[in-house]
Amino acid sequence: MRVLAAMSGGVDSAVAAARAVEAGHEVTGVHLALSKNPQSFRSGARGCCSIEDSHDARRAADALAIPFYVWDLSDEFKADVVDDFVAEYAAGRTPNPCLRCNEKIKFAAVLDRAMALGYDAVCTGHYARLVADGERIELHRAVDQGKDQSYVLAVLTPDQIAHAMFPLGDTPKEQVRAEAARRGLSVAEKPDSHDICFIADGDTAGFLDAQLGTRPGPIVDETGARVGEHDGTHRFTVGQRRGLRLGRPADDGRPRYVLDITPVTNTVRVGPAEALRITEFTAERPRWTGEALTDARPALVQIRAHADPVGCHVVPAGEDLLIALDEPLTGVAPGQAAVLYDGDRVLGSATIADTTSLAEVGTASAAG
């Protein structure tokens, strides 16, 4: 096959490309330039996509004796990932830019361009497995559960999965580094990148302040009483405890957490930890890695990249999903991705829209 290997400049994508070459494919390496100012996306081990990264990717391609190109997708990245991230926070939601990047950039813009150029597949260093079931190809968790990235790949469609290659899905990370060293790849000991790639210093609140400005407003408790001030609702996410700067402690002395965010009234509401315990939620814009779910069924759901999955019951509700949890979860925020699994197999994903807390269920029962 003709394979386009997306090479970030890190060890994972370099070894993935090497395995594609070793498998006998005709491989071309490509590095994605995602920033107009490449140095702005890295600070130490944070971020990615610096000039250093493009040089590391080129050196790896040279070591593998494959053609190498740099594709400028900075305009697409800003519109589909960065601007979306800012807009979601402005709307009081908590987005995951890695999912959006996989959906819009790596497996839309890149794959579309690759197919137009006559390539058969795009190869990446993601930790996930592709498992054939007859003519169908399923997306599964990686063997290395600590590095599993199936959560951020759950936005892929069946057609995209059919043209994807994840050569590292069956290999623990330490073995990948050892293999890179054996192959003479200079990135063998390069640190993994962390955090949001376009916020190199890790200061998400500061980045959003620069984009959205400050807009002071009230922090209120569950009764509506004003207990503090904030500089902008975009600085908060559901479940947050630090940085609240509350001027009035809770009557019982216990810590308080962000319960919800209302940009329209510029209000942040806080309360006790137990008020964060969610029993069900609705999720919108589902994307299925296989056949779309049309009937209610049990499944596992995961709401963060490295969270433990919990049992749930999924009910299609028009264009949305109603997900009832077998046990309460905390820190469930609108805007997060809810990824559904059947064991290790990814069923699909949807965006959390509204939540129902255990306290709200109790209040409704008492009123009834």
Side-chain angles (χ1 to χ4, degrees):
M1 290 197 303
R2 294 190 68 209
V3 174
L4 188 74
M7 303 182 71
S8 67
V11 62
D12 297 328
S13 59
V15 172
R19 289 187 175 185
V21 171
E22 191 171 66
H25 300 301
E26 180 186 340
V27 180
T28 298
V30 63
H31 178 77
L32 308 182
L34 301 180
S35 172
K36 293 296 185 185
N37 175 15
Q39 294 295 354
S40 67
F41 281 8
R42 178 179 286 281
S43 176
R46 293 182 182 272
C48 67
C49 316
S50 68
I51 292 175
E52 170 198 346
D53 292 321
S54 67
H55 290 169
D56 286 340
R58 183 178 296 278
R59 282 190 284 268
D62 288 344
L64 300 174
I66 61 174
F68 177 82
Y69 300 94
V70 175
W71 286 359
D72 183 358
L73 294 178
S74 56
D75 289 337
E76 292 92 335
F77 185 78
K78 182 179 184 302
D80 292 331
V81 180
V82 180
D83 290 351
D84 175 80
F85 178 85
V86 174
E88 285 289 276
Y89 265 101
R93 294 155 67 93
T94 304
N96 186 313
C98 293
L99 274 88
R100 200 63 59 237
C101 183
N102 285 326
E103 176 187 355
K104 299 291 188 177
I105 305 299
K106 293 177 182 174
F107 292 95
V110 171
L111 181 57
D112 288 348
R113 186 180 297 189
M115 299 300 290
L117 291 172
Y119 289 94
D120 301 300
V122 168
C123 170
T124 76
H126 285 100
Y127 284 82
R129 291 181 297 133
L130 298 176
V131 177
D133 181 14
E135 296 183 357
R136 180 178 63 185
I137 300 177
E138 299 174 343
L139 178 63
H140 285 239
R141 290 190 185 276
V143 168
D144 187 339
Q145 296 290 303
K147 294 297 294 182
D148 173 57
Q149 292 175 296
S150 61
Y151 177 88
V152 296
L153 294 170
V155 290
L156 302 188
T157 66
D159 185 61
Q160 290 169 332
I161 290 171
H163 293 96
M165 292 177 62
F166 305 128
L168 307 186
D170 62 352
T171 310
K173 179 61 180 263
E174 63 269 19
Q175 293 182 21
V176 170
R177 288 199 179 278
E179 180 177 335
R182 289 196 306 272
R183 293 180 181 275
L185 298 173
S186 61
V187 292
E189 298 301 324
K190 185 175 180 177
D192 292 340
S193 59
H194 298 286
D195 302 309
I196 299 168
C197 72
F198 52 87
I199 306 179
D201 61 3
D203 182 8
T204 301
F207 172 83
L208 291 169
D209 281 348
Q211 301 296 314
L212 297 170
T214 57
R215 186 186 172 204
I219 300 176
V220 302
D221 65 14
E222 291 179 288
T223 70
R226 195 181 193 113
V227 294
E229 302 285 332
H230 66 77
D231 293 326
T233 58
H234 58 266
R235 298 177 65 93
F236 301 90
T237 186
V238 170
Q240 180 175 332
R241 176 185 174 186
R242 295 184 178 181
L244 298 182
R245 296 179 299 160
L246 300 180
R248 182 173 135 192
D251 292 340
D252 57 12
R254 292 189 298 169
R256 288 182 286 199
Y257 301 79
V258 174
L259 301 183
D260 58 55
I261 302 157
T262 310
V264 173
T265 60
N266 199 29
T267 301
V268 175
R269 188 168 67 95
V270 297
E274 55 265 27
L276 289 169
R277 289 163 59 82
I278 299 302
T279 58
E280 64 181 36
F281 57 85
T282 57
E284 59 191 8
R285 301 191 303 276
R287 290 175 64 90
W288 303 104
T289 59
E291 294 182 0
L293 183 67
T294 56
D295 297 312
R297 62 157 293 169
L300 297 172
V301 64
Q302 185 172 325
I303 63 166
R304 284 183 289 274
H306 299 293
D308 292 329
V310 300
C312 70
H313 197 74
V314 187
V315 181
E319 296 182 354
D320 299 333
L321 302 175
L322 175 63
I323 300 177
L325 302 169
D326 293 351
E327 58 186 85
L329 285 175
T330 61
V332 183
Q336 289 176 317
V339 175
L340 298 170
Y341 292 84
D342 180 1
D344 283 343
R345 177 166 68 97
V346 180
L347 299 174
S349 66
T351 302
I352 297 171
D354 297 301
T355 64
T356 301
S357 71
L358 191 61
E360 289 171 325
V361 172
T363 300
S365 298

